[in-house]
Amino acid sequence: MGSLKEYIIMRALLVIPTVFILLTLVFFILRILPGDPIVAMLGQKVPPEVLEKLRAELGLNKPIWEQYIDYLSHVIRGDLGRSMIWGRRPVIEEIMDRFPATLELTIFSFAISVFLGITTGSIAAFRRGSKIDTGMRLYSIIAYTLFIPWFGMLLQMLFGVYLDLLPIGGRIDPGLEPPHITGLYVLDSILTMHWRSLESALAHLILPSLTLGIVLSGAYTRLVRNNLIEVLNQDFIRAYRARGVRNRKIAFHAMKNAFIPIITLMGLQFAILLAGAVLTETTFSWPGIGTFLLERIQYRDYTSVQGVIVFYALFVAMISLIVDVIYALLDPRVRY
Amino acid sequence: MLLEIEDLKVYYRSKKGTVKAVDGVSLRIDRGEMVGIVGESGCGKSTLAYSIIRLVQGEVRGKILFDGVNLLELSEEKMRRIRGKEIGMVFQDPMTSLDPLEKIGDQIVETITEHENVDEETAMRRVRELLLKVGLPEDRVESYPHQLSGGQRQRVMIALAIALNPKLLIADEPTTALDVIVQERIMDILEGIKREGKSVILITHDLALASERCDRIAVMYAGWLVEMGKTSEIVKDPLHPYTKGLMDSIPDLWMKKEVKPMPGNPPDLTDPPKGCRFHPRCPLADDVCRREEPPTVNLGDRIVRCWRWANASEG
Ligand SMILES: Nc1ncnc2c1ncn2[C@@H]1O[C@H](COP(=O)(O)OP(=O)(O)OP(=O)(O)O)[C@@H](O)[C@H]1O
Ligand SMILES: [Mg+2]
């Protein structure tokens, strides 16, 4: 187990330069973009003296490198600063207000993508070479190349407008928000037994998480199929058959062997999942971090955008670390 | 008679054409004997072995009578119940033949419970007995395959193959991947199993090993069975020129015999030579060998497929 601990520490240390580079890039790109938070908020017609005064309040009158050093020294101490517009709330509060919405969407999309990917991939592998296999591979390619806003709108038109079955935006019907415990509406409504809230929350989740889940499942289909085919060709599968083990059980063993390497991919996919979540959230007016990020980029709210990037980077790093540990625990070859 | 194979043909379809990997093989195996099947790489030994338990990809024709039942006519479920239970199989590569994610004990238990209605506890007790029998400490039940050496894994494979007391054990190059000392141990275990009255088919390209351990030897060449007989007789007096060639190519430690490697290579099985399949490499080949396929000749308890003996037995 010693080596696993070292590995975790190494991985954690590697996060620091990654976040640092990301943050530096974002910091300067934001400032190269035309406009600044004051202009974005108040428009061009503000008298220059007022503009100058407001800029000085935000520290935007200082040379860029000074602002950069200043900001970094705060981030290192765990302080993401305050938003530069509207009420100037602390960035971390703004993020935490919206994070549960994103997390909820992410969890459901992830579950859907894994379920679809494993099902389609396994069917393809067990029927390799058949028409079903071709169909599943086609599904994988199409799903993978779908553009989220386009596909999301298609589902909105179909299920929201044409069939009028599901809501096409928002997290929950107004007034039905369950009491706040975790901020995850589905979980909170179950915990507090607000069944109507649960119903509404789930109805709102279906289309966005299906959109994101289907798009992400394409990669899993391919991977599960290829891995499983590789495992099915291995000697030990033939050895199972030679011992008269039933096909059902052999399939179980094969899937177990095929999935363990896929777990590491799940960690990597998580970054893509969050990126996809940004597009999905804006398509479905989902009040999460993605919507927040796009809004604040438009307003040049430097600190908020930087804060979200740091937060995302740390979150992705943590998830992939957890996934790696799970992998190590599941595979006896790593465990011992 | 435990196993009787009659005119077995196994053809693979490949891009290059039909591979006639086994082409008209007949042989019989008695209870309690160890039969070696020898021949160069690619002559169809493994194909023959796998076709007995119906695990070849190719198309199989002929008859495989096991305990009087033609295995080629059984339903898939009936065949499954024979695999492992009646016929055990040991593979060439012990490193890749065990599931890397399951404990040794669990793999053996699963094999037992797939065929017999026993509770886990009884099964586990049998597993411990099995491990002792193949020379592994009992606590290995808790090990994962990657924690064992190649020799230990092959012992596990044997334990798996004999877990249900099969009447026939087929071992396909069981010692090829192992060093010489381990090889001897593994062969000792197989011989022990034979002495319990089980039949063992030992597939190997090593004629020396087969002649040391087997009661009878079958020599295969390019999908044909070219010679079969008692080991002592074959070693003393090989009838087929190919068998003789194999014998001459074995280095001998004691007698300062000259080692003559056989010239040439086995033929491409998508397009085997006309006439006798061995004629391009045969020092004694004449016209008839090049033109026509030789018949299989029965000489008492010996078979040989060669024109020289066909002509001799007639005249
Ligand atoms: N699945 C397959 N498809 C096509 N051809 C095959 C297949 N399996 C084996 N063959 C061919 O059939 C012939 C016999 O192969 P087989 O594995 O039975 O030989 P072998 O005597 O066991 O050889 P070795 O000593 O190398 O294990 C070879 O020419 C091989 O290339
Ligand atoms: Mg072989």
Side-chain angles (χ1 to χ4, degrees), chain A residues 11 18 37 41 74 105 123 130 137 139 145 155 202 224 290 316:
Chain A
R11 282 284 305 263
T18 317
M41 203 167 39
H74 279 91
L105 175 65
I123 292 174
S130 71
R137 284 160 72 185
Y139 166 83
T145 45
L155 292 185
L202 284 176
V224 168
V316 167

Side-chain angles (χ1 to χ4, degrees), chain A residues 82-126:
Chain A
R82 283 170 175 275
S83 158
M84 291 185 164
I85 61 172
W86 296 326
R88 308 208 50 205
R89 292 180 64 206
V91 169
I92 192 70
E93 276 180 23
E94 299 268 22
I95 291 177
M96 280 313 165
D97 275 356
R98 292 162 176 91
F99 180 58
T102 298
L103 188 63
E104 193 161 46
L105 175 65
T106 313
I107 292 171
F108 275 78
S109 309
F110 177 74
I112 289 175
S113 70
V114 169
F115 173 77
L116 284 178
I118 287 178
T119 317
T120 53
S122 316
I123 292 174
F126 286 122

Side-chain angles (χ1 to χ4, degrees), chain A residues 38-51 54-55:
Chain A
I38 314 293
V39 177
M41 203 167 39
L42 302 177
Q44 300 285 0
K45 294 198 181 94
V46 189
E49 320 82 69
V50 181
L51 220 61
L54 289 173
R55 284 214 172 99

Side-chain angles (χ1 to χ4, degrees), chain B residues 12-14 17 19-22 39-50 56-58 92 172-173 203-205 220 267-270:
Chain B
Y12 296 109
R13 305 251 173 254
S14 80
V19 184
K20 299 178 174 174
V22 172
E40 284 165 293
S41 184
C43 68
K45 305 180 298 285
S46 298
T47 303
L48 177 64
Y50 287 117
V56 274
Q57 265 131 34
Q92 171 166 355
D172 185 6
E173 315 243 13
I203 291 172
T204 174
H205 57 259
M220 280 189 77
D268 176 4
L269 291 178
T270 51

Side-chain angles (χ1 to χ4, degrees), chain A residues 235-236 238-247 249 252-253 256-257 260 330-333 335-336, chain B residues 50 53 55 80 83-84 89 91 96-102 107 110-111 114-115 144 146-147 160:
Chain A
D235 287 350
F236 73 85
R238 193 180 51 182
Y240 269 128
R241 299 193 64 200
R243 271 179 258 142
V245 176
R246 285 180 183 86
N247 281 338
K249 290 223 172 138
F252 168 77
H253 289 299
K256 199 167 160 189
N257 273 275
I260 283 186
L330 282 182
D331 192 330
R333 286 162 294 188
R335 199 181 336 145
Y336 295 94
Chain B
Y50 287 117
I53 52 168
L55 282 184
R80 180 191 72 75
R83 292 187 195 122
M89 184 105 190
F91 299 90
T96 57
S97 297
L98 289 164
D99 187 337
L101 299 183
E102 306 294 335
Q107 297 194 42
E110 182 178 37
T111 307
E114 280 290 272
H115 292 278
Y144 285 93
H146 71 96
Q147 296 167 307
L160 279 163

